[in-house]
Amino acid sequence: MAIFEQIANEVVKGQADAVKKLVNQALSENISAEDIMNNGLVAGMNVVSEKFKNNEFFIPEVLVSARAMTAGLEILNPLLAEANVKAKGKVVIGTVKGDLHDIGKNIVGMMLQGAGYEIIDLGADVPKEKFIEFTQKEDANVVGMSALLTTTMIYMQEIIQGLKDAGLRDKVKVIIGGAPVTQAYADQIEADGYAPDAATAVDLAKDILD
Ligand code: B1M
């Protein structure tokens, strides 16, 4: 079996140690970090994404695969930076102010990272000032907001207003998600998109940036 396929399979199986070993092996065979990332790690996460959409994988499997992918990416990151490999886009992501739920946001971040986006994770309980500061500082392409409480999702609108007031709204796409969030709410607050799950968030990011 080709090394890329082996790496992808181990990502799907969530075997971080095997992924690390195979990534190092591929590097020792002079395969570029970019090829290893795209044809091994990202290819594996694409399979995970499909399985999650088809209800063949559930949250625990996705988390374990994402961790295995991250283990491989940690080896490649310095090499990718050296080779100046451009990420597909930069996403500033966080759970909004007042909300401590970060499991879903973390999965979305990891899946986006697996799909080749650079992630600036602001954590949970993030005030609008921080979203604005990092959108500007990082010259982000996408702002991703997560909320799990009906009482905190309304804060997303304030962040969008904050981006408008800072003159950033035209420069950045806004995507939102979280259990109480709906497409209707996204339309209401004029977000660029809503995703019900992490795999759809990846498709959404690809669509709105293309
Ligand atoms: Co809380 N909590 N919680 N909780 N909690 C819920 C959300 C709740 C529905 C439980 C319930 O009552 N049935 C309820 C909210 C009710 C409501 O507002 N309608 C609730 C409550 C009330 C509370 C507290 C207020 C409880 C209390 O203290 N009285 C409190 C609030 C604290 C706060 O935030 N200020 C609280 C606290 C907690 C814990 C800290 C104990 C813990 C969070 C730990 C953590 O995240 N580190 C917790 C948990 C675990 C839950 C439940 C059980 C599970 C949430 C979760 O992680 N789901 C939850 C009940 C439930 O949802 N069944 C509940 C798994 C996760 C993968 O899914 O986050 O939906 P989810 O993310 C999905 C999608 O939504 C989407 O993709 C993800 C992956 O598929 N998605 C995005 C998410 N973000 C996205 C962003 C995107 C796109 C897609 O674009 C950027």
Side-chain angles (χ1 to χ4, degrees):
M1 200 193 299
I3 188 119
F4 294 138
E5 210 179 320
Q6 289 181 49
I7 293 172
N9 281 345
E10 296 301 340
V11 168
V12 176
K13 286 194 274 172
Q15 299 293 327
D17 286 343
V19 170
K20 282 196 259 183
K21 203 170 141 215
L22 286 163
V23 165
N24 281 323
Q25 186 189 321
L27 288 173
S28 71
E29 289 170 16
N30 286 328
I31 300 173
S32 79
E34 189 174 9
D35 281 347
I36 299 170
M37 177 180 74
N38 288 330
N39 303 326
L41 300 175
V42 173
M45 276 315 277
N46 284 341
V47 175
V48 173
S49 213
E50 281 307 308
K51 285 187 180 292
F52 185 57
K53 266 193 215 162
N54 298 332
N55 292 323
E56 290 168 53
F57 265 25
F58 297 97
I59 301 297
E61 287 102 329
V62 175
L63 281 175
V64 173
S65 288
R67 247 175 250 140
M69 187 265 309
T70 308
L73 214 50
E74 272 165 12
I75 301 171
L76 298 180
N77 268 341
L79 301 165
L80 292 168
E82 259 171 48
N84 219 357
V85 173
K86 272 189 88 63
K88 287 183 185 157
K90 210 184 249 191
V91 183
V92 164
I93 193 167
T95 303
V96 302
K97 189 169 96 172
D99 201 322
L100 301 174
H101 298 86
D102 67 355
I103 298 168
K105 181 267 297 168
N106 292 344
I107 296 174
V108 172
M110 285 192 273
M111 295 279 267
L112 284 169
Q113 189 181 24
Y117 295 88
E118 185 179 346
I119 302 301
I120 314 293
D121 188 346
L122 305 181
D125 191 18
V126 182
K128 74 172 173 200
E129 292 77 11
K130 198 165 173 188
F131 274 104
I132 293 162
E133 181 195 337
F134 278 84
T135 302
Q136 205 151 28
K137 193 159 83 183
E138 297 288 345
D139 199 13
N141 309 98
V142 178
V143 170
M145 297 188 262
S146 180
L148 263 286
L149 299 171
T150 43
T151 48
T152 57
M153 65 183 253
I154 49 178
Y155 188 69
M156 291 174 164
Q157 187 160 21
E158 259 187 66
I159 296 170
I160 291 182
Q161 187 58 48
L163 289 169
K164 278 186 193 158
D165 294 344
L168 294 169
R169 185 64 188 94
D170 295 339
K171 298 186 185 126
V172 79
K173 301 286 184 190
V174 175
I175 64 174
I176 61 173
V181 178
T182 59
Q183 182 62 53
Y185 182 66
D187 295 341
Q188 185 193 321
I189 66 170
E190 295 177 350
D192 296 292
Y194 153 76
D197 56 59
T200 314
V202 172
D203 294 341
L204 180 63
K206 283 182 190 159
D207 282 353
I208 61 172
L209 289 182
D210 274 355

